[in-house]
Amino acid sequence: MTISHFSIKGASDKVINGDVFTAEAASNAPLIVFVHGFKGFKDWGTHHLTASFFAGLGFRFLKFNFSHAGLSSKSNDVFDDLNSFSANTFSKELFDLDQVITFAMSGKEFPAPEKLFLIGHSLGGGISIIQTAEDKRIDKLVTWASVGNFRSLWSNEQEEAWRRNGVMYVENSRTGQQMPVDIGLLNDLNQNSERLDVLNAARMIDKPWLIIHGEADAVVPAEQAHELNRQQETSKLLLVTGADHVFGGRHPWAEDELPVQLRQVCEATAAFLQ
């Protein structure tokens, strides 16, 4: 297996760093683009094992950091660029994802895939739903623990304080950092409300779509998976018994094997994509 690295320009000319996992003799294989969620990043916990799992089955697997994820090019897992994190918006993430797909399809650094699939986790699931509704280059979509409504990410009380103060702080439970989110993210949602309506985008998808969600997800309740599934007659829904928001994963992850529930998710995803 080979792992190649790339850097391209994203929103506001900030850098998108990514990796591509490729098994031997699989240079023309279908490409999976993995889209991380809020406070996520490409080197989180189990993501390297997930990438290796799919590469071992003959897929190519691309994972990347959004340009405003809050990690500089020097960092693997430390949020050392909170100014960028604060300035992130949903529209910037959609711009970044489009840039990544355009890069992948260009054939400049590796052969362009004949088939391109998205896997979006959590907030990245919502971004992937919108992108799939808009982008004919995507052949199949899988969402893991996806949000169905961006406004569900905060409470009404938090939004009121956010409007008053111009910034909202969210705690990183791993590092203890208070991570700022500028009012620009909320303004983006209000100004682009039609485009950023995840449920509306879900109704527009005309590609095969698998929705996977943990029944015990305390971050994004499983009802959001049911709501997404109700928007689309052809989507498929898989609920994982007892699974949390990250299907048993953690950061850091010291084991050599995937968590049992995440492996179940990967196997179901691979079967769907194959």
Side-chain angles (χ1 to χ4, degrees):
M1 184 181 305
T2 60
I3 304 174
S4 58
H5 308 284
F6 68 88
S7 296
I8 60 174
K9 280 189 176 182
S12 304
D13 284 337
K14 289 199 169 288
V15 174
I16 299 168
N17 292 307
D19 314 312
V20 182
F21 285 59
T22 307
E24 300 301 327
S27 61
N28 277 329
L31 178 69
I32 295 169
V33 175
F34 180 80
V35 185
H36 70 72
F38 184 62
K39 294 188 292 183
F41 46 93
K42 69 181 179 67
D43 296 315
W44 185 90
T46 51
H47 289 347
H48 65 295
L49 295 176
T50 299
S52 297
F53 174 89
F54 284 100
L57 293 177
F59 297 95
R60 286 178 288 170
F61 192 96
L62 184 157
K63 56 188 179 74
F64 70 98
N65 286 338
F66 281 113
S67 62
H68 289 68
L71 293 88
S72 72
S73 297
K74 301 175 183 177
S75 175
N76 289 327
D77 68 347
V78 176
F79 290 98
D80 59 348
D81 186 3
L82 292 181
N83 288 333
S84 290
F85 181 88
S86 179
N88 197 17
T89 66
F90 304 112
S91 293
K92 286 177 181 177
E93 293 203 346
L94 285 165
F95 179 87
D96 285 353
L97 179 53
D98 193 75
Q99 290 291 97
V100 168
I101 293 171
T102 298
F103 164 76
M105 298 300 290
S106 71
K108 290 180 179 178
E109 294 196 21
F110 51 82
E114 293 184 5
K115 297 285 185 182
L116 187 142
F117 309 135
L118 289 188
I119 299 176
H121 175 251
S122 192
L123 173 57
I127 295 295
S128 297
I129 290 166
I130 295 170
Q131 186 72 27
T132 302
E134 297 179 347
D135 193 339
K136 299 301 182 184
R137 297 171 296 181
I138 298 164
D139 294 288
K140 290 185 180 182
L141 169 67
V142 183
T143 50
W144 294 355
S146 178
V147 298
N149 182 346
F150 290 143
R151 289 191 184 277
S152 69
L153 296 169
W154 56 81
S155 67
N156 290 335
E157 293 76 16
Q158 286 176 308
E159 182 168 328
E160 290 174 7
W162 196 1
R163 292 179 187 277
R164 288 195 306 271
N165 301 325
V167 64
M168 176 174 65
Y169 289 90
V170 293
E171 184 176 0
N172 184 319
S173 58
R174 175 173 61 90
T175 65
Q177 288 171 292
Q178 292 295 319
M179 303 178 68
V181 183
D182 188 80
I183 193 68
L185 186 141
L186 182 59
N187 292 340
D188 176 48
L189 183 57
N190 291 331
Q191 293 164 7
N192 300 287
S193 57
E194 184 174 347
R195 185 190 187 199
L196 298 176
D197 185 332
V198 178
L199 294 181
N200 184 57
R203 289 189 285 272
M204 296 169 59
I205 288 176
D206 60 359
K207 302 293 175 64
W209 177 16
L210 175 62
I211 301 165
I212 303 181
H213 215 101
E215 285 188 335
D217 190 335
V219 177
V220 179
E223 173 54 32
Q224 293 201 36
H226 289 286
E227 185 68 16
L228 287 169
N229 192 44
R230 284 193 287 268
Q231 310 308 309
Q232 186 54 251
E233 291 184 359
T234 60
S235 59
K236 299 180 179 179
L237 175 62
L238 171 63
L239 297 177
V240 182
T241 303
D244 62 13
H245 189 59
V246 287
F247 306 102
R250 295 290 180 271
H251 183 86
W253 184 259
E255 306 296 326
D256 294 329
E257 300 290 335
L258 287 164
V260 172
Q261 291 166 331
L262 181 54
R263 184 175 183 87
Q264 179 185 348
V265 168
C266 289
E267 289 173 346
T269 299
F272 175 75
L273 296 179
Q274 289 171 330

